[in-house]
Amino acid sequence: MDAIIDLIPPKVAAYIPGLDTSAYVYATGADLINFDKRSFWISVASIVFNPLYWNILARHEYREKTLQKIFGGSLGATYFFFVTIFSLGILRDYLYERAIAEQPHWELLTHPGFKALALALFGLGQLFVVTSIYALGLTGTYLGDYCGILMSHRVTSFPFNVLEDPMYVGSTMAFLGTAIWCESAAGLAISALVWIIYAIALKYEGPFTGMIYEKAAEVKAEAKRDAEEAKESKTSAPAPSTPPRKSERLAEAATTATASTAAPAATANGAATPRRRAAGRKSAIANETLAASPMRVTRSRSKARSDAEGSE
């Protein structure tokens, strides 16, 4: 029976009727936190390690794309982050509960009002975490944007319309609610550390994530400008001019006529050109025609007749 009681968290054991809680150790002052317990420091180490793990590895993946090469793409790398981060979260929660189970109890936190506050904090915190995962989806929650899977628009639905970082706030509320329910001052200290670690992580995660989306927007805008410029240059380029066939024929005729009229009169050795030879033949033909024409004959006969008549 004692072994079973040891496995039951104090937050449950305190409300089980007839259950003996006399083994619980209540402390005050500096004894509220036992720093000698190794489980306390293991819990602290896991809480510090988890954000360091996903921030360092995710930035490396964004620059080098190592996981994408190993797992065959962005989706495979994102699923790797999902499995490892989720598993580390489960381990962290287990180590946290084991740590506060070995710590002294704070009698002040046994008041029913604190129990109600613990329930409200834990329930609301888990609501923020679960609804954030639902709104972002698996790739949006587990660093898909670092692997090249970007969200098409900013999520503004619940709980992002209530809180800027609902997952971190909700997780811290769950840690705090558990610490109050378990009546653990050590749990309160660890919860404060959780919020400090998350606040530091946000200082680096927020600007880096914003840079990823700004670069993606710049690349998209540049590609759009290039496409528009290519389209404009294609539509504004003049079509090659083709002269009409009729104009070509007229130009060729004019060239031929110019060449025929501009031929030289004689060659270098003084020989007559074809044109001069043609002109000579034309002149000879004209003389022959004139000599043999009837008019020439008649005129010769008339002249001969006159001579004869004169001699008579």
Side-chain angles (χ1 to χ4, degrees):
M1 186 63 179
D2 293 338
I4 297 175
I5 293 176
D6 290 339
L7 294 175
I8 299 175
K11 59 184 178 181
V12 177
Y15 286 89
I16 297 178
L19 186 64
D20 185 11
T21 60
S22 59
Y24 291 172
V25 177
Y26 291 92
T28 57
D31 296 331
L32 284 173
I33 301 177
N34 187 352
F35 293 104
D36 295 331
K37 290 291 185 179
R38 188 171 62 174
S39 60
F40 176 85
W41 295 109
I42 292 176
S43 177
V44 168
S46 68
I47 289 170
V48 173
F49 172 77
N50 283 14
L52 286 174
Y53 163 76
W54 69 63
N55 273 285
I56 293 175
L57 190 60
R59 290 184 179 222
H60 174 81
E61 179 62 22
Y62 175 75
R63 296 188 179 98
E64 304 297 333
K65 298 178 174 53
T66 303
L67 294 176
Q68 297 177 51
K69 296 173 184 176
I70 295 174
F71 295 102
S74 300
L75 194 59
T78 304
Y79 277 118
F80 173 82
F81 278 121
F82 161 65
V83 172
T84 55
I85 293 173
F86 187 81
S87 301
L88 287 172
I90 296 296
L91 178 62
R92 176 202 59 190
D93 294 345
Y94 169 77
L95 294 174
Y96 173 68
E97 290 189 2
R98 294 306 301 171
I100 62 178
E102 295 180 4
Q103 291 290 323
H105 293 256
W106 192 5
E107 191 171 5
L108 176 65
L109 299 179
T110 60
H111 190 278
F114 284 109
K115 297 298 182 181
L117 176 61
L119 287 173
L121 287 172
F122 185 84
L124 190 58
Q126 291 296 337
L127 177 64
F128 286 151
V129 172
V130 172
T131 52
S132 296
I133 296 174
Y134 178 79
L136 294 173
L138 188 144
T139 56
T141 303
Y142 294 98
L143 306 176
D145 40 16
Y146 286 73
C147 302
I149 305 176
L150 303 182
M151 303 190 70
S152 59
H153 60 279
R154 183 180 179 88
V155 178
T156 56
S157 59
F158 183 84
F160 291 93
N161 58 349
V162 177
L163 296 170
E164 184 69 21
D165 302 290
M167 292 194 70
Y168 285 169
V169 174
S171 180
T172 304
M173 291 172 66
F175 273 95
L176 182 59
T178 302
I180 295 174
W181 184 270
C182 294
E183 307 162 359
S184 175
L188 295 178
I190 294 175
S191 299
L193 176 65
V194 169
W195 177 246
I196 292 172
I197 294 298
Y198 282 163
I200 294 173
L202 285 172
K203 293 291 185 180
Y204 294 93
E205 289 180 18
F208 196 85
T209 304
M211 180 272 295
I212 292 175
Y213 281 90
E214 286 176 5
K215 275 195 171 183
E218 290 174 1
V219 171
K220 186 176 180 180
E222 186 176 354
K224 185 177 179 181
R225 285 195 301 269
D226 293 342
E228 290 177 352
E229 290 176 0
K231 185 178 179 181
E232 289 177 0
S233 62
K234 184 177 180 181
T235 55
S236 61
S241 58
T242 303
R245 295 181 64 85
K246 185 176 180 181
S247 299
E248 291 180 356
R249 291 195 298 270
L250 293 175
E252 291 176 358
T255 303
T256 304
T258 303
S260 61
T261 56
T267 59
N269 56 7
T273 63
R275 185 179 178 189
R276 291 180 61 86
R277 288 196 297 268
R281 287 196 300 269
K282 184 175 181 181
S283 178
I285 292 171
N287 293 334
E288 292 176 359
T289 305
L290 183 61
S293 62
M295 183 178 182
R296 182 79 176 175
V297 172
T298 303
R299 184 174 298 172
S300 300
R301 289 179 179 177
S302 299
K303 186 177 179 181
R305 188 176 299 154
S306 298
D307 294 340
E309 290 175 356
S311 63
E312 289 178 354

